[in-house]
Amino acid sequence: MSTRTVDEKMTIAEVISDLKVAPSTFYRWRQLGKGPRSIKLPNGDVRIRRSEYERWLTEQEDAA
């Protein structure tokens, strides 16, 4: 089992790397409201909870 916790916060770069998509694709998904829910930090950085990312991936699988 992985040592990562369910609520680990992922950066957009980590998500893009995992999905193997272009940054422009991921940002377009976010703009259209089709990406995983994210957290915007006070400094403007964005994080995505791993649990939300996994939920979103499962949802995409069901829609395929």
Side-chain angles (χ1 to χ4, degrees):
M1 181 169 204
S2 176
T3 59
R4 295 178 178 170
T5 62
V6 174
D7 285 332
E8 173 188 6
K9 311 307 181 283
M10 300 173 71
T11 64
I12 289 180
E14 291 171 328
V15 172
I16 289 169
S17 175
D18 189 59
L19 292 172
K20 296 177 179 56
V21 297
S24 60
T25 300
F26 183 79
Y27 285 111
R28 186 173 61 248
W29 291 344
R30 285 196 65 208
Q31 192 173 33
L32 295 172
K34 295 185 177 193
R37 289 178 35 199
S38 58
I39 303 163
K40 188 166 188 176
L41 302 176
N43 66 357
D45 287 350
V46 174
R47 297 290 184 271
I48 299 164
R49 292 184 204 282
R50 180 164 292 279
S51 59
E52 168 57 20
Y53 175 63
E54 297 294 337
R55 183 206 61 78
W56 177 81
L57 276 179
T58 300
E59 186 178 282
Q60 302 315 302
E61 187 176 290
D62 291 345

